[in-house]
Amino acid sequence: MEKIPFSPPRIDQEIVDEVTAALRSGWITTGPRTKALEAEVEAMTGVTKAFCVNSCTAGMELMLRWFGVGPGDEVIVPAYTYCATANVVMHCGAKPVMVDVRPEDATIDPQAVAAAITPHTKAIMPVDLGGMPAVYDELWEVVETHKNLFQATTPEQEQLGRPLMLTDAAHSLGAIYQGKSSAQQADATVFSFHAVKNVTTAEGGAICLNLPSSFDVLALYRTLNTQSLHGQSKDALAKFGKNSWEYDVHSAGFKCNMPDVLAAIGLVEIKRYTNDTLPKRIQLFEDYQQFLKPMDWAQRPFAKDEHRQSSAHLYLLRIKDFDLEFRNAMIQRIFDQGVSVNVHYKPLPLLSFYKNLGYHMGDFPVACDWWQRVITLPIFYDLQKSQVERVAAAVKKAYHQQKTSFHTLPLHRKS
Ligand SMILES: *Cc1c(COP(=O)(O)O)cnc(C)c1O
């Protein structure tokens, strides 16, 4: 039987042609195509300025560093996310303060954030998990009511007067919250263009700036440009001009600019995203809803509620009344039927590095429950409705096989 992969990229002739054009253009690193991609991201999200980098991870770190986050500082992150969210805080020498997530959608729990804010809190990093925006109204209320605790130690912190809201939006390009884009909810929002994400450049990301109007966003854009290129006063394109070889370096900056060869992929991807890729993904999500609805043991996610529309990045199915051992065995049974599934996520406190730093899974019961019962089903552009039906059937069969093994071998179940 033909295997169903988890999320292969959509690489067709149009992408091959645009990459070839970039390769033949004489300009392969950061240049006109990267700038064009930034303009597309701005047009799509409604933010004044977007800056492309070579990963979402690098983008989040650039923003934390710009805000002066460093040793002695704390950054609040959900325990239920990809390691990048906390790793960038570690890179800055600060402490990731993990909090639990909401039972409904596994986004960061505003009440847990409220309980975790201290005078050391310099940033809060919501994650739009699976493409569903976090509950920003409640998060902003928490930030406002705890503003008096904030202790500014840099000019940027002084100017903002509260912790930076920096979203890990690796999943949520195209998602909507209260009628606005997911990039218009926080001070800065960072998308990922990694190979498995809704829009890809193979590797890449974009920082969307949405700071209060007292900030000079164009100046910040120039700072990010400089910081993404060794702190060099002129980028390659500027140096390319006649007799403009000389430059200076004002800080030991990073090296995380996006090359035009990769931006070429993103340009094709993003132009067909809103009217083609995104509706297709949302439809596939709804197809799963339909096929899984009759199964009372299937706790289905949702792509939409009163205020939010997800970008349908992940279909996060939970199995009712299952534990880790049963979920893992069920995943094996799904793979045995030629269907690739995944788990998003193994919570941060279970990863050796964070466990060894003293984070305890027991402190995050909701994240723990999600982790033990979740199975992520495939969604990608070329997936057919008939394949969605096959995935649902494979999940159903795996469930019943697992249940039956439970009845015949009850002692195998841990109490
Ligand atoms: C993919 C992902 C990232 C990292 O994105 P990169 O572009 O690979 O740096 C960060 N956070 C989450 C939740 C992700 O899924």
Side-chain angles (χ1 to χ4, degrees):
M1 200 180 345
E2 175 220 6
K3 283 199 165 62
I4 298 179
F6 184 70
S7 69
R10 177 188 179 190
I11 301 298
D12 55 11
Q13 196 56 43
E14 216 183 324
I15 290 199
V16 172
D17 290 345
E18 186 63 26
V19 171
T20 306
L23 287 169
R24 293 195 197 283
S25 72
W27 197 268
I28 57 175
T29 187
T30 312
R33 283 186 169 78
T34 302
K35 298 304 139 190
L37 180 58
E38 288 172 352
E40 292 289 339
V41 172
E42 287 158 9
M44 197 182 133
T45 60
V47 299
T48 26
K49 220 56 206 144
F51 180 67
C52 282
V53 279
N54 67 7
S55 73
C56 168
T57 306
M60 294 190 291
E61 183 169 341
L62 277 185
M63 286 310 297
L64 289 177
R65 298 223 181 230
W66 164 77
F67 200 56
V69 174
D73 294 336
E74 297 174 354
V75 175
I76 299 176
V77 302
Y80 201 71
T81 180
Y82 182 58
C83 62
T85 325
N87 283 357
V88 293
V89 178
M90 296 298 304
H91 295 175
C92 295
K95 180 183 171 190
V97 173
M98 295 179 193
V99 300
D100 212 349
V101 294
R102 294 164 16 108
E104 308 89 303
D105 55 21
T107 61
I108 195 165
D109 178 352
Q111 291 322 306
V113 172
I117 293 181
T118 76
H120 302 290
T121 307
K122 290 294 164 67
I124 298 167
M125 295 182 66
V127 178
D128 294 339
L129 198 93
M132 183 56 90
V135 287
Y136 289 96
D137 281 4
E138 292 169 49
L139 288 169
W140 280 116
E141 199 178 314
V142 166
V143 170
E144 279 302 316
T145 52
H146 292 74
K147 232 175 165 171
N148 56 325
L149 285 177
F150 188 67
Q151 289 181 0
T153 51
T154 69
E156 290 78 13
Q157 294 173 12
E158 200 75 57
Q159 193 177 348
L160 194 61
R162 55 163 173 80
L164 182 75
M165 186 91 86
L166 171 64
T167 298
D168 177 340
H171 301 171
S172 69
L173 186 70
I176 304 290
Y177 182 89
Q178 309 270 37
K180 287 180 162 185
S181 83
S182 54
Q184 290 170 301
Q185 308 304 328
D187 295 311
T189 297
V190 190
F191 296 112
S192 171
F193 301 141
H194 175 267
V196 302
K197 304 295 156 73
N198 283 22
V199 161
T200 189
T201 58
E203 296 284 357
I207 305 170
C208 290
L209 299 171
N210 186 50
L211 283 154
S213 55
S214 63
F215 282 85
D216 183 347
V217 165
L218 281 176
L220 173 52
Y221 175 90
R222 285 193 295 271
T223 301
L224 293 172
N225 194 41
T226 306
Q227 286 307 102
S228 74
L229 270 165
H230 289 296
Q232 196 172 292
S233 62
K234 283 180 196 161
D235 61 27
L237 205 55
K239 275 176 61 190
F240 194 62
K242 205 175 165 197
N243 203 19
S244 43
W245 56 270
E246 194 173 357
Y247 62 88
D248 196 9
V249 166
H250 299 286
S251 68
F254 297 89
K255 186 61 172 67
C256 55
N257 55 307
M258 173 179 282
D260 265 23
V261 171
L262 296 188
I265 305 174
L267 271 177
V268 176
E269 283 266 284
I270 204 160
K271 282 180 185 154
R272 62 195 186 188
Y273 185 63
T274 308
N275 294 323
D276 183 9
T277 317
L278 182 59
K280 177 89 194 272
R281 295 187 76 101
I282 292 172
Q283 184 56 51
L284 291 167
F285 194 106
E286 296 307 331
D287 291 342
Y288 276 122
Q289 297 295 62
Q290 181 201 323
F291 290 126
L292 292 167
K293 193 173 178 190
M295 299 159 204
D296 58 2
W297 44 266
Q299 190 176 348
R300 294 172 299 151
F302 54 93
K304 199 178 169 60
D305 67 9
E306 210 187 326
H307 307 297
R308 303 177 289 172
Q309 169 66 56
S310 161
S311 64
H313 177 58
L314 301 173
Y315 189 89
L316 300 166
L317 175 69
R318 281 175 290 170
I319 311 301
K320 285 182 191 160
D321 303 323
F322 263 31
D323 62 12
L324 194 62
E325 192 189 353
F326 261 51
R327 192 278 312 270
N328 288 348
M330 188 170 158
I331 285 179
Q332 186 57 55
R333 293 179 195 277
I334 297 171
F335 268 99
D336 290 345
Q337 297 173 74
V339 172
S340 294
V341 294
N342 222 312
V343 170
H344 295 84
Y345 283 97
K346 186 168 184 176
L348 303 181
L350 290 179
L351 306 175
S352 297
F353 177 74
Y354 289 104
K355 197 195 294 183
N356 293 339
L357 284 177
Y359 295 92
H360 295 292
M361 197 60 236
D363 294 338
F364 313 97
V366 180
C368 189
D369 178 63
W370 267 88
W371 143 247
Q372 297 196 335
R373 300 195 294 110
V374 79
I375 302 177
T376 319
L377 306 185
I379 294 187
F380 54 91
Y381 184 81
D382 292 312
L383 190 68
Q384 301 301 310
K385 186 172 182 175
S386 59
Q387 292 175 303
V388 170
E389 190 169 14
R390 222 190 95 199
V391 173
V395 169
K396 183 179 176 186
K397 188 171 167 192
Y399 175 84
H400 287 294
Q401 285 174 335
Q402 193 54 31
K403 267 291 188 191
T404 312
S405 78
F406 165 63
H407 287 305
T408 50
L409 295 166
L411 292 177
H412 278 200
R413 178 137 199 204
K414 274 198 213 136
S415 60

